[in-house]
Amino acid sequence: MPWSVRWVGGCGAQSQKQCKKSSFAFYQAVRDLLPVWFLEDMRTMEVFHWEDGGKVSVYSPSEALLYALVHDHQPYARHLLTKFPQSALAVPSQSFSCCQSAPHLAMAVRYNRVRVLFRILKAIQTLPPGDRAAHLDRQGCSRVEGGKTALHMACELVRPECLLLLLGHGAAPCLRDSAGNTPLDTLLQQISHMPAANMRAKLLCLDCLFFFVPQDLEFAMKQQLLDNRRQWQDLLGENRFQCLVGLAPPSLFVGAMRVLIRTISPEHFPEALDNLPLPHFLKPLDLKLES
């Protein structure tokens, strides 16, 4: 079996070959959703990976969490975030990330790992305020990710659950990527794509953004909306269009939701959504996640 590989000291090409073999064994073990105790035994005692410059390294909790994210190994992700809340969210080695920042939130959004994303956000809330913001608003590599935040990615990939979780835990909704686009611009670009596939989820994302963005937000797509008024009115509906371009104030419902959601601290999000004094069908999303 591939995960029975054990490390034997060595150097040069033989050492590098054995590193690759044991590294792939660990990847397979996470992919196969093997028990947490087994994976931790492998990670801490048996497997290594080869880094640039000929350095041999064990897998850090941060790197193991990336594998757990890719393969949706929820028990392993939970273990890593509970036992190593800081080091599990630390910057991984360069063989895992091309820029010196932690990519875990973006990865969770990319693979739509809503439950693991929820646990990562809860772990982030235990960090000092400055570290919290650095994780929540981390901008991806300008060459590979175009300076997008996890919030941009949730809009680009149309992930309403991920979007609401990020916003509710304090992700900044007004940051711009390398092209000068806010998350709202990114979402509007997706809405404009023809044919209008997945429109319900796109409009749900837009409605979630409405609850968190300031009313006077300046965004790059605004002029395009005004120049193609008929098209955008058809895509968004009259009320959303009027509110977006500043021709009308937000509806009473949106205004009320903005006030209500501000009363929920990130530590109690999204659980406290259940306690909002609203009928169930008016609540933004039904996020039933483990605490």
Side-chain angles (χ1 to χ4, degrees), residues 211-212 256-264 269 273 276 284:
F211 300 147
F212 293 88
M257 283 300 297
R258 284 175 172 172
V259 173
L260 287 170
I261 282 180
R262 285 193 200 105
T263 67
I264 302 175
F269 197 93
L273 286 175
L276 290 179

Side-chain angles (χ1 to χ4, degrees), residues 10-28:
C11 60
Q14 183 63 32
S15 177
Q16 185 173 2
K17 182 178 179 181
Q18 193 153 8
C19 268
K20 288 181 178 179
K21 190 175 181 182
S22 69
S23 178
F24 184 61
F26 183 58
Y27 176 88
Q28 283 184 303

Side-chain angles (χ1 to χ4, degrees), residues 4-287:
S4 64
V5 174
R6 301 189 68 87
W7 174 255
V8 179
C11 60
Q14 183 63 32
S15 177
Q16 185 173 2
K17 182 178 179 181
Q18 193 153 8
C19 268
K20 288 181 178 179
K21 190 175 181 182
S22 69
S23 178
F24 184 61
F26 183 58
Y27 176 88
Q28 283 184 303
V30 179
R31 181 199 64 190
D32 294 342
L33 307 182
L34 295 186
V36 170
W37 66 266
F38 188 91
L39 295 174
E40 280 297 88
D41 276 354
M42 285 188 74
R43 183 181 72 81
T44 56
M45 294 190 295
E46 295 187 14
V47 298
F48 301 82
H49 62 90
W50 190 268
E51 293 191 28
D52 293 339
K55 182 183 176 184
V56 176
S57 296
V58 297
Y59 279 91
S60 69
S62 171
E63 293 154 358
L65 180 58
L66 291 174
Y67 279 176
L69 273 167
V70 170
H71 298 298
D72 201 21
H73 197 320
Q74 294 180 36
Y76 194 31
R78 181 169 61 247
H79 168 81
L80 292 165
L81 288 164
T82 301
K83 189 168 183 180
F84 313 103
Q86 293 194 14
S87 56
L89 297 174
V91 178
S93 65
Q94 287 190 347
S95 56
F96 285 82
S97 178
C98 64
C99 54
Q100 289 303 292
S101 60
H104 303 86
L105 280 180
M107 286 279 280
V109 173
R110 181 176 296 281
Y111 287 91
N112 203 23
R113 307 306 191 203
V114 178
R115 291 182 180 276
V116 181
L117 173 64
F118 173 66
R119 293 195 173 279
I120 292 173
L121 289 167
K122 291 304 178 190
I124 287 173
Q125 292 306 311
T126 67
L127 303 176
D131 293 343
R132 263 182 253 161
H135 280 283
L136 289 168
D137 301 327
R138 174 246 182 203
Q139 294 188 270
C141 171
S142 57
R143 292 169 297 161
V144 179
E145 298 171 286
K148 291 181 172 65
T149 65
L151 210 53
H152 282 94
M153 197 165 293
C155 290
E156 183 176 42
L157 299 174
V158 193
R159 310 267 199 243
E161 295 87 357
C162 295
L163 180 70
L164 187 60
L165 282 174
L166 288 164
L167 289 166
H169 284 87
C174 304
L175 293 180
R176 298 178 183 274
D177 63 16
S178 300
N181 293 318
T182 65
L184 176 58
D185 291 306
T186 301
L187 181 58
L188 289 171
Q189 289 165 9
Q190 293 302 313
I191 291 173
S192 69
H193 288 170
M194 301 299 285
N198 206 17
M199 186 57 74
R200 184 175 178 276
K202 292 174 183 177
L203 293 178
L204 184 56
C205 286
L206 183 58
D207 290 341
C208 289
L209 271 178
F210 270 142
F211 300 147
F212 293 88
V213 297
Q215 190 172 335
D216 58 352
L217 174 67
E218 290 297 322
F219 57 99
M221 290 280 289
K222 185 174 182 178
Q223 191 58 49
Q224 187 179 134
L225 267 65
L226 290 168
D227 292 342
N228 301 279
R229 180 175 301 206
R230 194 49 164 302
Q231 175 193 354
W232 283 101
Q233 284 173 328
D234 291 343
L235 285 170
L236 303 176
E238 182 67 21
N239 291 337
R240 290 190 189 92
F241 174 81
Q242 295 274 343
C243 180
L244 266 179
V245 299
L247 297 177
S251 67
L252 289 175
F253 172 69
V254 170
M257 283 300 297
R258 284 175 172 172
V259 173
L260 287 170
I261 282 180
R262 285 193 200 105
T263 67
I264 302 175
S265 67
E267 292 79 11
H268 299 110
F269 197 93
E271 302 93 330
L273 286 175
D274 286 337
N275 300 324
L276 290 179
L278 289 170
H280 180 75
F281 66 89
L282 284 179
K283 293 179 182 178
L285 279 174
D286 185 20
L287 289 171

